[in-house]
């Protein structure tokens, strides 16, 4: 599989690649720049929204606009400035921000936090429910990162990067509850991840210059080399969900590009945050 660079400006810390099927566009962010990019692959034009503070991920929101994991917490963006609806980092003290996240098929938005200085165990994973209630679901995380569900939603894969492994939880899609966390694959500095239609797990490797495809049991299936050292997230997009998009981070010498390649694999549709205002 041959990667090509998407002709968009270089990011400092490109992250959070996410296909938005409702618009046929790719969402991604530049975390420290506090911007959300939306790429239209029909003509490779890009729109950028400045959200005014570090942003870990942007996901589509139902009934419209975006939901965000910001430095200050979960937020919604309809027009103009973001509105924080769940100030999760205020409860953690200063120096933390939200990082990667994703939504389940019921529209629950899971996203975690980290300390800007990577203080061990200072972060948490949160669940924001459709009624805007939120709760901490995992504590003692250092760099909360990628997460994604198996096709039947009975498993939730999760990364705390410095742990050097991909974990998996049993997941109850009726309640959003997690249980029985265990490691499934050891990898150096795993970052973002996505799950494909066969239940294989694609993991971006920070410092590793690659995305790896793992079998559902964690066994190695494939390595896709990426021409950047710090590979941060990956997502399937395009009308047939067969184009792998990969974000990277600038490390002073390389990185920051958005890459893509057509694959013989198919992703799962990403779900929006279902925002039922209380
Ligand atoms: Ca990340």
């Amino acid at each position: 599989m041959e990667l090509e660079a998407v002709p968009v400006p270089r990011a400092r810390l490109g992250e959070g690649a996410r296909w938005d099927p409702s618009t046929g566009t790719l969402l991604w962010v530049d975390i420290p720049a506090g911007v959300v990019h939306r790429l239209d692959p029909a003509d490779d034009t890009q729109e950028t929204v400045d959200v005014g503070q570090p942003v870990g991920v942007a996901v589509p929101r139902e009934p419209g606009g975006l939901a965000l994991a910001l430095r200050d917490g979960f937020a919604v963006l309809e027009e103009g400035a973001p509105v924080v609806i769940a100030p999760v980092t205020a409860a953690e003290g200063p120096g933390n921000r939200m990082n990667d996240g994703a939504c389940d098929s019921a529209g629950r938005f899971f996203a975690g936090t980290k300390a800007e200085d990577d203080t061990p165990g200072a972060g948490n994973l949160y669940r924001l429910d459709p009624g805007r209630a939120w709760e901490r679901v995992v504590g003692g995380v250092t760099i909360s990162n990628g997460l994604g569900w198996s096709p039947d939603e009975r498993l939730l894969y999760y990364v705390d990067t410095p742990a050097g492994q991909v974990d998996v939880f049993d997941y109850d899609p009726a309640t959003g509850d997690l249980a029985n966390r265990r490691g499934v694959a050891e990898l150096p500095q795993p970052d973002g991840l996505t799950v494909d239609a066969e239940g294989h797990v694609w993991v971006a490797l920070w410092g590793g210059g690659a995305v790896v495809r793992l079998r559902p049991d964690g066994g190695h299936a494939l390595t896709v080399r990426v021409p950047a050292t710090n590979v941060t997230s990956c997502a399937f997009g395009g009308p047939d969900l067969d184009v792998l998009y990969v974000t990277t981070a600038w490390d002073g010498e390389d990185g920051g590009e958005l890459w893509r390649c057509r694959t013989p694999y198919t992703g799962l549709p990403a779900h929006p945050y279902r925002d039922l205002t209380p």
Side-chain angles (χ1 to χ4, degrees), residues 115-174:
E116 284 287 15
D117 65 1
D118 296 345
T119 300
N124 299 284
L125 178 66
Y126 296 93
R127 186 187 66 226
L128 176 68
D129 288 330
R132 297 192 174 182
W134 57 276
E135 69 174 297
R136 185 177 75 162
V137 293
V138 179
V141 179
T142 301
I143 303 178
S144 186
N145 248 315
L147 44 86
W149 288 264
S150 59
D152 65 4
E153 266 191 332
R154 291 293 173 179
L155 298 173
L156 172 62
Y157 295 93
Y158 179 59
V159 164
D160 180 6
T161 295
Q165 62 182 29
V166 177
D167 288 347
V168 66
F169 294 89
D170 295 327
Y171 188 73
D172 184 341

Side-chain angles (χ1 to χ4, degrees), residues 79-93:
E79 293 175 10
V83 176
V84 174
I85 59 171
V88 302
T89 47
E92 295 182 350

Side-chain angles (χ1 to χ4, degrees), residues 15 31 99-100 145-146 191-192 232:
E15 273 280 5
I31 293 178
N99 203 34
D100 207 352
N145 248 315
D191 197 333
T232 54

